[in-house]
């Protein structure tokens, strides 16, 4: 697919994700990690305007210079008239204005993409597409958070999804030895997937299936949230401080576990892989099982032998630079490196990862307590 | 005017205040003191449903039982399915749904008001009308906060208001003696205006005019925000902790003081009374002037001799019960008494107080640092 | 008594209060409102050095210029080498060094007091004595807090005090009319007791006795801490946020209410007046009793007719300037005026008020939630 | 050395560290990470009493059962009479009482050590000795913090240490390949040093010397604290939120950098290795130098080729379990594993690490912002 087609497709997908929203759903920001959908739609548009069109297309006319105050992630440099405010406090620009902004920039981009572009510009555009795809996953998870924390529990999609039968669980064994991980070959990857490098792995086994809701419920019923021996000290304090007793979106109502999904508040589906757990919970579950989480190298080496893609799978690995990692110069160079402290690596992809955005070498990362993403658990030993 | 007419008029006024809003403006809550306009519209409607229709009209059909979770001010008693959340996080019910809710309840109320109502019910309805009028002022001030803290500084009304010429300032003298304050006579008053009682006042003088923007600017230019001797210790800490250097909505841009109003960001109008100052600022200004703020009794006794109604005027008085004050039984009794600690009394009314809602005995009250209301300064000595 | 004698007596009393302390007890600061005893001993000494000796006695040699960093209440102006730190973090100067500092300054003062002093200097010295006496009460209450929050509950005084029998309770009636309150005559008073002025009081009755522990226990047992209708909203939030269920220093152990006193942890003495309650609790108790707290004017007018002095009695009055109040020029002028917002007036005195420091016109003041002082409750109606 | 001799030596060393303290220095806790010296002396003693003597010596008489409330690190299980309080708020038990407690337990232990002990008991005692040695380092760093944050900057040791000349810096090259890290052999190690395991390392070089104060000053003077490109995002926020502009204990006074050491506030010694930097600062310095920090495996493999032991050296590695790591059963098992999230590994030892407590495989760990330990920087590339 050429860049123009790919651009159209990616841009359309952002809009498709929002197709069932009401105007009000675009606006709110219930917690700091969640951005309003209209901000995602504006920010991804601003990226094309700011980094591609303004520096490279002298005929391009900026839509509204004040949008920089609103859609730039880096408020600090935004000048004298900026008011410090959270994204969820901004009623303007309106949703309608942002859709007009998207149209304006799309038109400019599609015109621009007809040119014969340098390799550097092509790379920048591919990065921009991946940037927008990352925001598409956030759009989906943020929408779920916004609706799932509303006491009316609105359903975005009316039809109920059918649950699959439980898969048979096996342990995949990998022999001790030297392996290689990291990206190699043609195509796009993020800087954090480089360099491909050798690692030494000890003998290990990894489970063919994700932990299910049913299995996780056993942990709850066995008092898993009430016994500190399964937890990191930091995780235990998190449990106590926040009164955590189940994954996010689980509600115990009238003696039954209900689960909010985009189809509404439904009885918990036991065969589905557990979702929306923090790293602390993933670790505690594994610890209770007498097992452990895989490292990211263990995951990557074994991942050809099992199905993945329904959940972002917590690994034991901290998010650190690979050997030979170097930042690109300029603003693009900040993309990943500056986050390489205090976060954990997640591998795989999820139900709401956009099409064509996953790779076996892809390194996602979040802080240990976060759980609004579609996170799950795979055991190793 | 009969109750039905008055009901229609008050209900319509709530909607009129919102007439120029975009849907998104109804949703956000930038700070805890500000509620989203759609919440005000829903909460005032819920009041009629909950306290009038449900207990007194057996034919009334509740619009949506879940709205209690959303529009009740007292979340605590709302049962098992409640999620703790701020009002500004709720995208649903939508604005459209809330307008339908208003129509539904209005229809029920207008039908109900055709009945021959007991005195107690009539009083309850008058209280409900005053309750809605109080929310109308909050609607106006909250809308200003929402738009005035948006970096795009949207104007709600396009036309610019004309500034009046400065009035001539005189000092009104009141002789020492026994006076009476508090409500008396026919008509509605809040419980906090009772009992009418005697007070002993010393000789004092009170200014015929409010402090203007020009006068307040002199305080700023004289270093008023930089010298602790004018301030309460608590006020001085507030200034330093929040970096306060001017009233709310003032912005110093390119060497000029600009002021956000509902007509947009405009050059400061020097002849207008200063607005959106905290009690701390009112006190410090008076202190710098070698003057002081009036007590609420001084204000009430002198108020027949000057014009008032453009600003809520900070007084030196703390918000305390009048002699003989007693709470009404039940939920209505909580209306005012439970706030009688740590707040200051404001007297008068403001540009956005709804028509027919002001009285010379009216006691408004806020915490000392708050300034999103239309608050101003009148000096005494 | 001449000034020299009075100076010696007051200075000695500060030391007497600490006579049973261990060195470690002088050092700690468990909460921000409590200062370490050694800080009180140093700060009161610094006052004499800074305001009397340094400006007025050219022969005086400063003990240690760095002590200004430590014993000045106003850290902000202390220059470049200051480290922001709480008083309880400072192990140096040592207790021994502070006692030497006291001796040094006492010697200087006693020498200085032999001079023929101007009226202004005499007034300053009397203010200094009252300043030190205020710190003596704080010394006593802070020591109680330090020991009473130690899990070993050490007793400062071994002997147990004998409880008096319950007094007979009567209601003292005061007729409506004009009265005068505030200080008048010879002798010292604080600026906040001026001017003496007329007030108009309605008919009221005030109780001859303070509320006892036994009576307060009835409030607890009747669910007083569990029913919000007795409380200010702010008070109710304080109860919930802090898990308050009894006065400070009360502990329910093995089915019995114990009370920490300076004689150790002892069974609650039912006949003693309740102590260490916040304004919120005083108000809630009165509200539960169908009664109220007196205003400070009501208290002052009636106080000649009952015994007072065991507890600082919460009044309904906010701490505000009297008519005609004016601040003295200079640092001394800051003494009281800058605190006149958000506090409540307490009248009377307490078990640990130093001798000769109480007056019927004395206005003490604290924030509503504070309860480490010897605060109690007297009802009015 | 036999266990009895070793016990005596270790216990004496704890006391020696405190030999120059004044009583007040034992008491305070300026920040939560710092414990009062008297708490360290009591807690290490309580360890012997609680885990060795009470369960194993039926003749042992407990010194004071209430000490469990004070010296147990785990307040939660301490029963009904516990008051939640910080360690620095406790004036009792006094320093003298704690020294008596030490004598009492030492006597019990020396008597107990004469017995023929099982292997398990011997291991427990060796663990206890290592536990006390860990607290000895904390004792030293906490004392420095207590005195170094006192505005009087007291010197603990009068004599000034002589600075060594700068060492010649070389880069040590290590070839790509498989290496082994982790503890092996006789003697004590912590559980986190196991299992010894293979790692694959790429070619790298590591510097023979630590970064000096002079070199670090160049980073400061080059604006290192003012340019976010050198920092992790989290580190940059830490810099801004805390106003960081130099290592802890550095003070810029009258145009000169001064450094607080236990010899007092002295001009910065340029040849000394930089000390008291956070991980964020170590990373930013390396980033500014176009270099990086070593991983812990790189450090361990190269450490036979350079001198180490003056500073705890920040590594890029997160603190995670080694392959095959397993927790011991019981309370001892909590020793290290529960901290294995969100922390960074430090390797080496420091000026105040007790004798015989360092190993090439030793894994120390702290959170990225902490800097009250003797932390330093070694570069790799």
């Amino acid at each position: 697919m050429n860049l123009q087609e790919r651009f159209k497709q990616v841009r359309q997908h952002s809009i498709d994700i929002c197709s069932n929203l009401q105007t009000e759903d675009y606006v709110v920001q219930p917690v700091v990690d969640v951005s309003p959908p209209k901000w995602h739609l504006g920010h991804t548009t601003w990226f094309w305007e700011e980094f591609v069109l303004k520096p490279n297309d002298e005929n391009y006319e900026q839509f509204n210079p004040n949008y920089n105050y609103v859609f730039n992630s880096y408020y600090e440099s935004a000048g004298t008239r900026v008011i410090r405010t959270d994204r969820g406090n901004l009623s303007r620009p309106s949703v309608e204005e942002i859709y007009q902004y998207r149209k304006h920039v799309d038109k400019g981009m599609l015109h621009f993409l007809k040119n014969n572009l340098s390799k550097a510009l092509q790379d920048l555009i591919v990065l921009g597409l991946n940037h927008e795809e990352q925001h598409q996953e956030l759009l989906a998870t943020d929408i779920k958070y916004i609706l799932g924390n509303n006491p009316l529990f609105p359903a975005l999609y009316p039809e109920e999804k059918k649950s699959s039968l439980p898969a048979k669980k096996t342990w995949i064994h990998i022999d001790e030895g030297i392996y290689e991980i990291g990206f190699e070959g043609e195509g796009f990857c993020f800087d954090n997937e480089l360099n491909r490098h050798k690692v030494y792995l000890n003998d290990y086994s990894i489970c063919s299936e994700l932990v299910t809701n049913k299995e996780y419920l056993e942990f709850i019923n066995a008092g898993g949230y009430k016994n500190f021996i399964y937890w990191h000290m930091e995780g235990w304090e998190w449990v106590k401080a926040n009164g955590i007793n189940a994954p996010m979106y689980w509600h115990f109502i009238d003696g039954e576990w209900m689960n909010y999904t985009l189809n509404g508040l439904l009885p918990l589906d036991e065969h589905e892989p557990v979702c929306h757990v923090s790293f602390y919970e993933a670790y505690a579950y594994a610890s209770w099982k007498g097992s452990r989480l895989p490292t990211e190298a263990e995951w990557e080496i074994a991942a050809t032998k099992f199905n993945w893609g329904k959940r972002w799978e917590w690994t034991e690995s901290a998010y650190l630079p690979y050997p030979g990692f170097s930042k690109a110069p300029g603003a693009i160079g900040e993309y990943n490196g500056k986050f390489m402290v205090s976060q954990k690596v997640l591998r795989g992809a999820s139900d709401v990862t956009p099409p064509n955005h996953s790779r076996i070498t892809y390194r996602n990362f979040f802080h240990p307590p976060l759980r609004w993403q579609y996170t799950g658990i795979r055991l190793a030993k």
Side-chain angles (χ1 to χ4, degrees), chain A:
Chain A
M1 197 185 315
N2 67 22
L3 268 187
Q4 230 182 334
E5 282 311 303
R6 180 132 166 67
F7 180 84
K8 276 200 260 184
Q9 200 179 64
V10 168
R11 293 288 287 170
Q12 183 59 42
H13 188 61
S14 296
I15 292 171
D16 291 346
I17 293 168
C18 301
S19 57
N20 282 21
L21 295 186
Q22 297 192 4
T23 301
E24 293 85 344
D25 301 330
Y26 286 91
V27 181
V28 300
Q29 179 177 33
V31 289
V32 70
D33 296 311
V34 166
S35 291
K38 80 184 177 88
W39 186 87
H40 285 298
L41 294 179
H43 170 72
T44 48
T45 303
W46 170 86
F47 184 99
W48 299 113
E49 185 180 61
E50 183 72 15
F51 292 119
V52 179
L53 293 175
K54 278 169 66 180
N56 297 300
D57 184 349
E58 59 184 15
N59 295 318
Y60 176 74
E61 276 186 55
Q62 193 170 6
F63 185 73
N64 181 336
N66 289 323
Y67 279 20
N68 191 47
Y69 298 122
V70 180
F71 295 124
N72 188 341
S73 310
Y74 309 93
Y75 281 86
E76 289 173 54
S77 53
T80 58
R81 222 175 41 146
V82 175
I83 293 172
R84 185 165 164 225
T85 183
D86 291 326
R87 292 167 187 167
N89 299 338
L90 301 184
S91 60
R92 313 286 181 92
S94 69
V95 174
E96 178 55 31
E97 286 164 335
I98 291 170
Y99 275 116
Q100 283 166 13
Y101 179 38
R102 287 187 74 89
K103 272 193 194 149
H104 176 85
V105 167
D106 282 355
K107 194 174 154 199
M109 279 298 297
L110 289 170
H111 187 265
F112 179 73
L113 289 173
K114 289 179 185 150
N115 296 323
N116 219 338
L117 302 180
S118 68
K119 175 69 166 60
L121 268 173
Q122 289 185 44
D123 284 354
L124 177 62
I125 285 155
V126 170
L127 181 68
L129 293 169
N130 276 276
H131 171 259
E132 183 140 356
E133 285 170 343
Q134 289 185 307
H135 278 278
Q136 286 167 359
E137 178 139 16
L138 291 170
L139 254 178
T141 52
D142 292 359
I143 288 168
K144 182 168 182 179
Y145 193 96
I146 287 165
L147 299 177
N149 282 279
N150 189 301
L152 305 179
F153 291 125
L156 199 62
Y157 307 116
E159 74 280 16
E160 188 169 342
K161 285 199 303 197
K162 194 75 183 311
S163 162
S164 53
L165 286 181
K168 195 155 145 278
K169 193 161 284 198
T170 59
W171 287 95
I172 298 156
H173 183 80
I174 306 288
D175 286 332
E176 185 174 12
I178 298 176
Y179 293 90
E180 281 199 10
I181 65 169
F183 185 79
E184 195 177 44
E186 296 297 306
F188 174 82
C189 77
F190 282 113
D191 56 359
N192 63 13
E193 299 169 54
L194 299 173
N195 290 346
R196 186 167 176 86
H197 63 285
K198 293 197 180 72
V199 292
Y200 192 93
L201 298 182
N202 287 273
D203 265 12
Y204 69 100
S205 297
I206 194 164
C207 192
S208 66
E209 305 298 326
L210 294 166
V211 171
T212 65
N213 284 333
K214 184 179 183 184
E215 291 169 317
Y216 198 83
L217 206 44
E218 290 164 7
F219 168 67
I220 296 179
N221 292 334
Y225 282 96
K226 290 172 185 156
N227 192 334
F228 68 92
I229 68 161
Y230 306 127
W231 299 80
H232 289 110
M233 196 175 74
E234 183 178 302
W236 183 242
E237 282 163 8
W238 172 81
V239 163
K240 286 185 299 175
N242 298 285
I244 306 290
N245 63 357
M248 183 175 270
Y249 300 123
W250 289 32
H251 300 273
F252 196 66
I253 300 176
D254 299 336
E256 187 184 9
W257 279 106
M258 303 294 283
N259 186 22
Y260 177 77
T261 74
L262 290 177
N263 311 109
L265 189 70
L266 302 171
L268 188 68
D269 183 337
E270 296 204 329
H271 301 321
E272 279 288 299
V274 69
C275 198
H276 299 297
V277 288
S278 68
F279 170 75
Y280 302 134
E281 289 165 299
Y283 172 89
Y285 177 83
S287 178
W288 170 74
K289 268 300 214 194
S291 186
R292 63 176 177 86
L293 303 176
T295 65
E296 64 171 321
E298 289 173 339
W299 190 96
E300 185 170 325
I301 294 309
T304 54
K305 302 177 190 279
F306 55 74
N307 289 320
W308 55 269
K310 284 187 76 59
R311 296 289 179 267
W312 285 107
E313 307 180 16
W314 287 108
T315 73
E316 181 61 70
S317 299
Y319 179 48
L320 296 176
Y322 278 176
F325 169 76
S326 68
K327 297 199 260 188
I332 304 299
E334 290 181 55
Y335 209 85
N336 275 308
K338 70 179 173 183
F339 297 111
M340 289 180 174
V341 66
S342 304
Q343 308 211 39
K344 301 298 279 188
V345 172
L346 300 100
R347 289 303 195 95
S350 89
D351 285 342
V352 296
T353 306
N356 307 315
H357 190 70
S358 50
R359 275 183 301 286
I360 205 168
T361 59
Y362 198 102
R363 305 175 78 199
N364 202 348
F365 51 92
F366 284 105
H367 286 101
L370 297 182
R371 38 186 215 163
W372 95 110
Q373 294 296 303
Y374 285 72
T375 47
I377 311 172
R378 184 184 302 276
L379 298 180
K381 61 186 183 185

